[in-house]
């Protein structure tokens, strides 16, 4: 009798979970349908207008009550986007194919892999609060759970941060559920293999040789821009530590003074820039930044990625005016950014721009002396992972989704404000002692 009760309880729970999943799918698919017809006019849109649905109902349905309405909207938009017809078409074109066209077997398998993983994001991702915005990250635990740790958005200082709002922290980290370097059915696109043979996040050949995502990490950003971006990022981190009482004013002032005598060239040539270049040159980071930029443009009424209007250069220019610190402008100029966001999103008819040659990261590594390289690799790992061993649960293979016929930049000088602020490169190393022990030990994770 007891065994029968247990079986009945299991069946009842399965039925209940199926009903909840169906309710979540209907909610997200309704958002995608609403947004496919939405016209934007350059003015920001609030959550209820964007979603075309009750935000409080969605927050309760997905267990997001502890997050602010802005963060709730970020999450629900990304989950709906991953289930939308627009996203599926972008997977086609990211692989170098016109939507609905014939693919070879390997590329069709990649398509199925990405689309199915994306469609299940609503069920697979758990959202947790990370109090330190600079530690926001996506992780996969040893038991195969996918966790996105982000601020709850209730801290007005973090919401007002131009740098982090330009990065789109919430949507960026959600994108790492699909675009990362470790999960068996995730994607790390790009034609270049970082440290092949050295286990440094090897990239995966993605679609046709000239496909947009195969070219997504084709060019190196100027070192000066990398140094400038991370100096600004760590300046905000230093201010947060100082204002939170963790860092003394005397020590903070010393960081400020240290950078005053450094020229832009000296800062750009600092050895830690190489670590940042490794991070920013990975295909999965650039793919996550592309996704975040799309979601920001949607919420600010610049361009609707759920609709049919092609992205134009003037859209990118509007985005640049509002978010000059977006990392896509570290990677690409406006024309290149338009290409990577548009041809990944449309049918690839625009002629691809000529981008600079990328330095082979293996050669970069070989230029280091051994001790310096080990130190840098350790620091790189702290940026790229949430700590702990690099074991990742092997996820079950997915069933095919495709039909049978598919189976066969110019550099800029560092600002005076940045130079007078803080040395991002020295600051990160010396702040490790303050952060030690705060990071949970996870099997895998990617940081901002």
């Amino acid at each position: 009798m007891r065994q029968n009760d247990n079986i009945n309880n299991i069946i009842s729970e399965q039925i209940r979970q199926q009903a909840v999943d169906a309710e979540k799918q209907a909610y997200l698919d309704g958002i995608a349908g609403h947004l496919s017809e939405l016209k934007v006019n350059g003015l920001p849109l609030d959550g209820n207008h964007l979603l075309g649905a009750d935000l409080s109902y969605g927050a309760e349905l997905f267990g997001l009550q502890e997050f602010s309405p802005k963060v709730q909207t970020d999450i629900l938009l990304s989950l709906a986007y991953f289930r939308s017809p627009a996203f599926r078409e972008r997977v086609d074109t990211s692989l170098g194919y016109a939507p609905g066209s014939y693919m070879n077997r390997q590329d069709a398998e990649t398509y199925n892999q990405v689309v199915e993983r994306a469609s299940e994001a609503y069920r697979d991702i758990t959202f947790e609060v990370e109090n330190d915005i600079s530690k926001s990250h996506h992780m996969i635990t040893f038991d195969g759970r996918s966790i996105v740790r982000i601020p709850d958005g209730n801290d007005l200082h973090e919401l007002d941060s131009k740098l982090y709002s330009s990065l789109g922290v919430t949507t960026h980290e959600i994108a790492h559920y699909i675009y990362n370097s470790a999960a068996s059915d995730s994607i790390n696109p790009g034609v270049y293999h970082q440290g092949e043979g050295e286990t440094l996040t090897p990239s995966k050949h993605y679609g046709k040789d000239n496909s947009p995502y195969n070219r997504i990490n084709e060019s190196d950003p100027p070192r000066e821009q990398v140094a400038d971006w991370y100096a600004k990022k760590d300046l905000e981190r230093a201010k947060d530590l100082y204002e939170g009482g963790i860092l003394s004013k005397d020590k903070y002032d010393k960081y400020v003074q240290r950078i005053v005598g450094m020229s832009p060239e000296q800062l750009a040539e600092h050895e830690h820039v190489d670590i940042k270049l490794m991070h920013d040159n990975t295909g999965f980071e650039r793919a996550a930044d592309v996704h975040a930029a799309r979601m920001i443009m949607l919420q600010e009424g610049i361009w609707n990625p759920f609709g049919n209007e092609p992205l134009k250069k003037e859209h990118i220019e509007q985005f640049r005016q509002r978010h000059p610190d977006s990392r896509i402008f570290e990677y690409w100029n406006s024309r290149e950014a338009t290409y990577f966001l548009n041809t990944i999103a449309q049918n690839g008819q625009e002629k691809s721009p000529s981008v600079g040659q990328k330095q082979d990261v293996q050669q970069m590594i070989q230029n280091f002396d051994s001790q310096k390289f080990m130190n840098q690799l350790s620091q790189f790992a702290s940026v790229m992972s949430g700590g702990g061993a690099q074991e990742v649960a092997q996820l079950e293979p997915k069933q095919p989704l495709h039909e049978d016929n598919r189976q066969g930049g110019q550099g800029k000088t560092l600002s005076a404000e940045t130079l007078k602020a803080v040395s991002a490169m020295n600051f990160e190393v010396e702040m490790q002692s303050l952060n030690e022990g705060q990071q949970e030990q996870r099997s895998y994770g990617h940081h901002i």
Side-chain angles (χ1 to χ4, degrees), residues 65 97 102 108 114 139 160 260 281 315-316 375 393 401 420 426 432:
Q65 295 93 329
Y97 294 87
Y102 172 83
V114 175
M139 67 189 77
D160 289 339
V260 170
N281 281 340
H315 295 137
I316 291 291
N375 291 339
L401 295 177
K420 293 179 180 178
N426 288 325
Q432 286 180 358

Side-chain angles (χ1 to χ4, degrees), residues 382-415:
S382 74
V383 176
M384 297 297 290
S385 71
Q390 295 298 309
E391 178 182 342
V392 178
Q394 294 298 311
L395 305 181
E396 294 183 3
K398 308 298 183 183
Q399 295 299 315
L401 295 177
H402 256 307
E403 299 293 338
D404 289 341
N405 67 345
R406 293 212 177 187
Q407 298 299 328
Q410 296 182 4
K412 63 178 180 179
T413 59
L414 296 173
S415 66

Side-chain angles (χ1 to χ4, degrees), residues 72-117:
Q72 292 170 1
T73 301
D74 285 342
I75 292 171
L76 295 174
L77 284 176
S78 282
L79 297 180
Y81 172 73
F82 287 154
R83 294 181 55 83
S84 70
F87 176 80
R88 292 193 291 272
E89 287 191 4
R90 285 167 186 149
V91 178
D92 276 314
T93 51
S94 72
L95 288 160
Y97 294 87
S101 63
Y102 172 83
M103 289 184 183
N104 64 44
R105 178 175 294 274
Q106 179 181 356
D107 293 341
E109 289 175 354
T110 300
Y111 174 95
N112 293 333
Q113 174 181 316
V114 175
V115 168
E116 183 157 350
R117 183 169 178 84

